[in-house]
Each structure stands twice: as C-alpha cells, then as structure tokens.
Amino acid sequence: MKNIPRKFAEFVIRFRVLFILISLLLSFFFLYVQKDLKIQTNLGDFAPQKHPHVLVQKQLNYIFGGLNQISIALVVKEGDIFNRSSLNKVQRITNKLYLLDGVNAGRIVSLAARKIKRVEVTADGFKIERLMPEVPETQQGMERLKRTILKNPMLYGPVVSRDFKSTLIQADFESGVSSRKIFGELSQIIESEKDGNNEIYIAGRPILEGWLNFYLPRMLKIFLLTLLVILFLLFLAFKSRRGVILPMVSALMATVWGLGILALSGYGLDPATILVPFLILALGTSHSIQFIKRYYEEVGIFPERRKASLETLQSLFIPASISLITDGLGFLSLLLIPLVTIKSMAIVAGAGVLSIFFTTVTFIPACLSILPLPRRIEVKREERPNIIDKVLGKIAGIASRRVSRRAVIGLFLLLAFLGITGTTKIVVGDNESGSAILYPDSPYNVAERVINTKFSGSNPYYVFVEGKEEDSLVSAEVLMEMDSLQQYLRKNVKEIGYTVSLADYIKGLNFTMWGGDPKYLTIPENDRTIAEYLFLYSVSGFPGDFDPVASPNFQYANIKVDLKDHRASTIGKIIKSTKDWIKKEHRTKNVKFRYAGGDIGILAAVNEIIARTLPSTILQVSFLVFLCISLFYSSVIAGFLLLLPLLYSLLLTFGILGFLRIGLTVETLPVAALGIGLGVDYGIYVISRLSQELKKGSSSFSDALHTSLVTSGKAVFFTGTIMALGVFSWAFSPIRLQARLGILLGSFLLLNMVGALVLLPCLVRMIKPKFIFRKR
C-alpha cells in the first residue's frame, strides 16, 4: 500500500506523453458527441414515477386523456367582459385552441367552448344549445348571456369572475405533446390578442415548462461569468501562466467529458443537469490548485522538473484519490433518490468526477514534467507570505493554545445547537404561493396569482373514482358519495376554489328539470331517474359531453378540485381530508376512491419523497464517507474527525432554512449529499499534509500545523473559495430553483472550508489521534 503512490507516480511520469494524448483525444471525442445534446425541461422528471399518486395520475391520463392543464385569463381594464371586443377575443382564442396538436377537445372550458351548454326543459325533455356559438350583436343578447351565466354555478365564479371583469379559458393537452411547442403556440395566440383594454395571463404546467426552456439557455452567460471569476482567482493565487492555464484546461476537459457522457447516456440538459458543468468546472479547478501549489513547493526542494512532478504526484495521490472517491460517493448516492432528474444529475456528475482523476491527477503532473521549470522569481513570488498566510498563521496559533482552542470549539457547539433548533422548524414543500421554481415577480407567477385571485385557482387536484363494472356511476348511492366527498373537502380545505364531477352535472339536470328551484339542486334518490336524465340529455346533447368527468361506459369518473395555492400545508390538508373521508364515509362497494392525481398529487408525492429520502440520504452518504476515510487512514477516529465539521455545516445550513421558514423543495435533495461528499475534500488535504509534516521528525505540532495551513491550507482556501463562488454564481440564474440550490450548496461548502481550516485543527490538537501522531 505504501509503495502504490510511488509506483503510480513513476508510471505516469514515464508515459507522460501517452497520458496527455489520451486526455486530449478523449476530450475531442466527448466534445464531438455533444452535437446531439439538447436543452429541454420535463417536470415529469421531477416526479417519482412509481409513487401511488403518480400511478393514479397515469391512469387518469389513460382514461380521460391528457390532463396537462393550461389556464388563460382575459382581464378587462375598463367596463366588463360583456362587450364585443373582449368576447370576440375569447371566441378566437378558443377556436384556435381546438386546432392545436394534442389538445383534449373535450376538456376545453370557455364561454365559447363547444361543451359549454345552455340547458332548458321542454315537453320532450331537455333543450340543449351551445352557450355562445357566436358573440351577441345586441345589448339584449349580451344581457341574456349574462343572465344565463348568473344562474349557472358552474360558470359564474369558475369561468366568469364575480365582478364580471374577467373570464377564464382552460384546456388540457396530451402528455406526449412537447411543452416547448405548447408554450410557443399559445404565446403567439396570446400576444396577437393583447390590447390596451384587455390583459391576458396564462399559467399551467406546460407553460411553466415553457418558461424554464426559455430561461435555460441564459445559463451559458452565467457559465462564462463563472469562468472569468475562476480565471481571476487563479491569477490571484499564482500570478503565472502555468498556474492559470493548466488548472483551467484541466477543469474544462473534465467538464467536456461529463457533458459528453451525459449526451451518450441519452439525457438532455434540464434545470438540474445544466448545473453539473459548473460543479465539475469548480471541482476540477480546486483539485488542480492543490497540485500546482504543491509543485511550486517541490521545485524549491528538487529543482528538476521530472523529479518535482513525481514528488508532487506521489505526495498528493492518496489525498486526491480519497477526495475524488468521496466526491463520487456524494454524487452517486443521488441515484438512490427516485427522481429521474436527480438520477441523471448523479450520472453526469459521477462521470465528471471520474474524469477529474485523468484530467487532473495524471494530466497536470504529466504536463508539468514536460514544461520548463518555473523561473526563480516565480517560485519566490509563490513562497512570499501574504495576508492569507498571516490569517492562516493566526488560526494555527489559536489551535495551539488551550484557552482559544476551547473557545473555538465552544462557539462551534453553540452554532450547532442553534442549527439543531432550526431544523425542528423545517417545513417540507413550498411555503409560499406560486411556483417555487421561478421568482415571485416572474411573468408565470404573476399570471398564476391573477388566476388564483379572480377564479377558482390554477392548481388541479383529482380523485379517481373506479367502478367495478359498466354503469357503476349510474347510481344515486355512488353519486351522493361523490357529492359528499366534494362538500367535505370544501368544508375542511379553505383554499379550494371549485370542485366539479359527474354529480354536479346530475344535480344541474335535476335543478333544470324542476324549473330552477334551488331545493332540487340535489342528486335524485332513484337510480332510474338518473338513467333517464342521462338518456334525455344524450338525445339532444353532443356526444362526449360527459367525457371530462366520466368514461363513456360510466365505469370511471374523476372529481376535479381547483386549489388557489400549492403550499405544503394546503397539500397536506387536502390529502388528509380525502383520506379521512374515505375512512369514515365511504360505504358503497361498487366503486373505489383513489387519490391523488393532478399537479397537487404529484407535488404531494415529491414532498413525501423529500421527507423520506433526505434523512436517509444524509445517513447513507455520511456512512460511506466515514467508511472510506476510515479504511484509507486505517483509523475509525479519522472517519469521525473529518465527518464532524461536515455535520456541523449541515446542521447550520438546514437550521438557517428552518429559522427563515424556507420550505424544503426538490432542489434541496442534492445539497446534503453533495455538501458532505465535496466538503470533506478540504479536511483530507489539511490532515494529510499535517500528518506528513509530523512524520518529518523535526516539527512540533504548532510548527507542523503552521506549515500545513500556509501550504495545503492556503490551497484549501483558494479551492474552497473557487468551489463556493462557482456554485454561488447560480444565484444569478433567472430560475429560482437553481438560484436557491446555488446559495444553499455554496453556503454549505463555504462552511465546510471554515470547519476544515478552523474547527478541524482544534479537534486534532485536543484529541491527538494516533493516525496523525503515530511514531515516526
């Protein structure tokens, strides 16, 4: 084991040209395969595909067609919607919707929709007409339309706002239709209809995906900005061409490898995977800095390029290998999370970490062994103390003195306690209205707020009613239970704006049959009466009028609930209320009530996955990192020692989230795994250098610690800063999900760096572990 680093270093230096050529050729290959890499967003990738809620949604899609709902609100500034200009816009938009690919024609809701009817009773049964086949040309026609809407509770409120100043158009699309296509076509339709008196807002899942696709290419500018910041920091650290160019070339090659493997795996760049190039770039640069820093040290001892390069690789082989293994474990642990987007992130990032071993651990020493030795002035400049050396020297002094050491440990314990307190206040899921993926003032969230304020809401929730046989729904008992569930939900969940099901259609027909008497807005008690209503309606109605709420054979139905927000508390209430009603009130044996479909059901599934997998992911990656370190250092104490600062950073990061009442959403899932996997690198480099200094035999602990911190510790400072800034750059993203992930992970990594440079030396001095203080 002791000879492996030496033999590996000799092998790399002996065949240095071969290693350089292999790295360059593979980089060109992976660059070529990226020609097929696509930028695309599919919010379905953020959902656990085997979760019961998602399976219910899939069955609803299969029976009732696409349930990718979009909502369009037309708002009039002056007057009300009952004017020819506004209603003509409604009619034109509705007619254009019918022509779009993948639209579910039976689920288009609008004043001008074919399925929205005016129902009157005649001697022969029901007289059924379209509500607005043409826009009324006279004031009397407008008034008649207004009276009809006022008398219909399924229109007044849900489709036309209570103040008559806005109207809603809704449509569903098949799940196979590209959100980019839906977004592009609807945007053109909407833009052509806007004018000075009519504002138009659009929301819904396909529109959200469309906005994400619109914003994603802007990440290229942020990547270039990150590149410039890293170049500046490299110049600040080395002030030499080799110190800037080699780490940058190495990191860019690793980034190209990762993206190439992503393309070969068949994945595209989505809001999660598009962040991986930033991580690989920053991670590759940080490991390269350690090699360049150590090379300058070795040149001062061995003024011969091959010898200096060999000694550099031999000294850093073990800590670099441990660091890359723990980095890989952090990424690969994400494969345990049952979300496609997180799994794809794990694959490409894991491939990127593997590539860093070749593009940094072998490529940089191989290049250094060929390049001319740095000039003496370059080496002297590198050895010259600066303000960072002075600060790190002060830290070494603090760790060497008992009183200051105890004060530092006490302060960290206090902060850890505050972190634990904060974690008890954490909420899983969104804690605010609108989509947490985008900023509150984004056009999408503005539109969603308008729709939620003026109408019943834009967050659909479905309960699937599954009958045992055909005509199971033609039953007073079944329909009364469906109506009972709707009333129970409306009573217990105040955020509900509207509910609709086959029960409402039957109640409306009964209400109409009895001359509009409110006391007959009920389900008939006789099954034959219900069957007669359905038959009479079918005689005059349009085929498929009931398709949005029931299957043609009346075996399956859905109860649709529109919610005004998707806060975690709202989702929890409606899921719990549905579950409670089924347990207490469901009696009929002919049907089963299954929940939860729609966007709310999918979000509930995601929240459940976060609550279940986040603690287990933290435990798993912590154990794997602990095991890896313990094996490499042949010491259990080493595992605990290097893990403690990471757990402190984790508690503090999530504690702050709890105190700020920021909900844990899907972007927080990678934070713990990546923070622990990547953050342990800093401690590994510091501990390895400290152990090497103590083994020299002439250093006291204070001297050894001082040397370790101003050499490897200084490199850790620059690597930690580059890693944190590389991740913090995500905060400039127009996509809030990316910005929050950047701030969280960047803060975590920064705290890890502080823990490695301040807390870890104090713990080492206090514990005096044998794996560091063993006999020379």
Side-chain angles (χ1 to χ4, degrees), residues 29-49:
F29 168 73
F30 285 125
L31 190 62
Y32 171 75
V33 300
Q34 289 176 38
K35 69 182 189 304
D36 299 321
L37 194 61
K38 296 180 180 179
I39 297 178
Q40 56 191 10
T41 302
N42 181 7
L43 291 180
D45 291 343
F46 287 83
Q49 296 301 312

Side-chain angles (χ1 to χ4, degrees), residues 64 76 370 567:
F64 299 102
V76 178
I370 292 175
R567 288 185 173 94

Side-chain angles (χ1 to χ4, degrees), residues 125-137:
F126 295 113
K127 179 184 177 183
I128 302 167
E129 300 174 336
R130 280 182 63 182
L131 176 68
M132 194 180 76
E134 298 292 338
V135 175
E137 296 184 358

Side-chain angles (χ1 to χ4, degrees), residues 589-604:
K589 304 298 182 182
N590 290 334
V591 299
K592 290 181 180 178
F593 289 84
R594 296 174 57 199
Y595 61 95
D599 291 351
I600 294 297
I602 292 173
L603 286 173

Side-chain angles (χ1 to χ4, degrees), residues 353-365:
V353 169
L354 177 65
S355 67
I356 288 173
F357 184 85
F358 294 98
T359 62
T360 298
V361 178
T362 63
F363 180 78
I364 285 186

Side-chain angles (χ1 to χ4, degrees), residues 31-210:
L31 190 62
Y32 171 75
V33 300
Q34 289 176 38
K35 69 182 189 304
D36 299 321
L37 194 61
K38 296 180 180 179
I39 297 178
Q40 56 191 10
T41 302
N42 181 7
L43 291 180
D45 291 343
F46 287 83
Q49 296 301 312
K50 295 183 180 179
H51 192 281
H53 295 350
V54 179
L55 295 178
V56 168
Q57 175 66 16
K58 288 180 179 178
Q59 196 160 3
L60 285 166
N61 282 337
Y62 178 75
I63 294 172
F64 299 102
L67 299 179
N68 282 329
Q69 178 178 291
I70 62 99
S71 299
I72 303 170
L74 186 145
V75 181
V76 178
K77 293 180 181 178
E78 300 292 334
D80 58 30
I81 62 163
F82 295 101
N83 64 83
R84 285 188 56 79
S85 174
S86 297
L87 291 181
N88 273 324
K89 291 180 185 293
V90 172
Q91 189 174 56
R92 285 194 298 269
I93 293 172
T94 305
N95 290 339
K96 289 176 182 177
L97 284 176
Y98 282 108
L99 301 177
L100 297 182
D101 289 339
V103 73
N104 187 337
R107 299 189 70 86
I108 293 179
V109 176
S110 155
L111 292 179
R114 300 167 190 167
K115 295 293 181 72
I116 304 300
K117 304 293 176 61
R118 176 189 289 112
V119 182
E120 297 176 356
V121 179
T122 66
D124 298 323
F126 295 113
K127 179 184 177 183
I128 302 167
E129 300 174 336
R130 280 182 63 182
L131 176 68
M132 194 180 76
E134 298 292 338
V135 175
E137 296 184 358
T138 63
Q139 188 60 36
Q140 290 81 1
M142 289 288 183
E143 290 297 327
R144 180 170 179 256
L145 175 63
K146 188 174 184 178
R147 287 195 301 272
T148 303
I149 292 170
L150 266 171
K151 290 191 292 184
N152 191 337
M154 296 177 71
L155 294 176
Y156 183 51
V159 178
V160 176
S161 62
R162 298 288 180 179
D163 59 3
F164 297 110
K165 293 185 71 67
S166 51
T167 183
L168 188 68
I169 302 170
Q170 287 185 321
D172 287 344
F173 287 84
E174 301 293 340
S175 55
V177 184
S178 163
S179 58
R180 189 188 298 271
K181 181 180 177 68
I182 296 172
F183 179 75
E185 291 177 340
L186 288 177
S187 295
Q188 289 182 354
I189 293 172
I190 298 309
E191 286 302 318
S192 66
E193 297 293 347
K194 287 182 178 178
D195 61 29
N197 193 45
N198 294 274
E199 293 179 334
I200 303 178
Y201 302 90
I202 183 167
R205 182 173 169 179
I207 305 306
L208 177 57
E209 290 186 10

